[in-house]
Amino acid sequence: MNLTLKRLLGVTAAVATGATALLGTGTGTADASGRNVRAHCDRAERPVWRGDPSRNMTSHGCSIPASKRPWYIVRIDTLVQPHYKTEYANGKADRTETLHDRTIRCMGYTSDPGAVNWFGCVPR
């Protein structure tokens, strides 16, 4: 392995470690300062890819306060998690898990008619 490739891999590992540390720190800071906004959704779907939950989630029947904040605590009545063995959306789900009364922390959302798409959700 040449020196440039080794350096590139080292930088990539350092950036990934730093991003993980910042995400964890940001979560703790947001919770401690009370800057979270609480939202409620009747049901949501969050795929699980090769054992790792997606950072994105689609939900329906949501009530979201008008205030915009950096972190949202989303209370979900029914969370459906299709588990995939591959990392491709067109693959068949290996199994589906249904969970009730879950809370997930997300960084933000976009909304469409009838659905709210959450992003930056922290895996639990």
Side-chain angles (χ1 to χ4, degrees):
M1 184 181 291
N2 67 27
L3 185 58
T4 305
L5 185 56
K6 285 183 183 179
R7 287 180 181 166
L8 181 61
L9 288 174
V11 168
T12 303
V15 168
T17 303
T20 302
L22 286 175
L23 183 59
T25 303
T27 302
T29 304
D31 195 32
S33 66
R35 294 178 11 184
N36 292 313
V37 174
R38 297 191 180 273
H40 176 266
C41 297
D42 294 333
R43 64 186 176 88
E45 298 89 29
R46 183 180 190 187
V48 177
W49 307 102
R50 302 180 98 200
D52 189 26
S54 174
R55 303 302 190 262
N56 301 322
M57 175 175 67
T58 301
S59 58
H60 307 276
C62 295
S63 61
I64 304 169
S67 62
K68 297 278 187 181
R69 295 290 184 167
W71 287 96
Y72 294 85
I73 296 176
V74 185
R75 178 83 175 157
I76 303 163
D77 292 338
T78 304
L79 176 62
V80 177
Q81 292 184 314
H83 290 255
Y84 296 92
K85 285 187 175 181
T86 66
E87 296 178 1
Y88 303 104
N90 62 354
K92 184 180 174 187
D94 182 46
R95 65 185 172 93
T96 301
E97 183 178 21
T98 302
L99 306 170
H100 300 281
D101 300 321
R102 296 293 177 189
T103 302
I104 296 176
R105 186 183 320 262
C106 298
M107 289 180 68
Y109 68 92
T110 60
S111 58
D112 297 325
V116 177
N117 299 303
W118 297 95
F119 58 86
C121 300
V122 179
R124 297 186 77 186

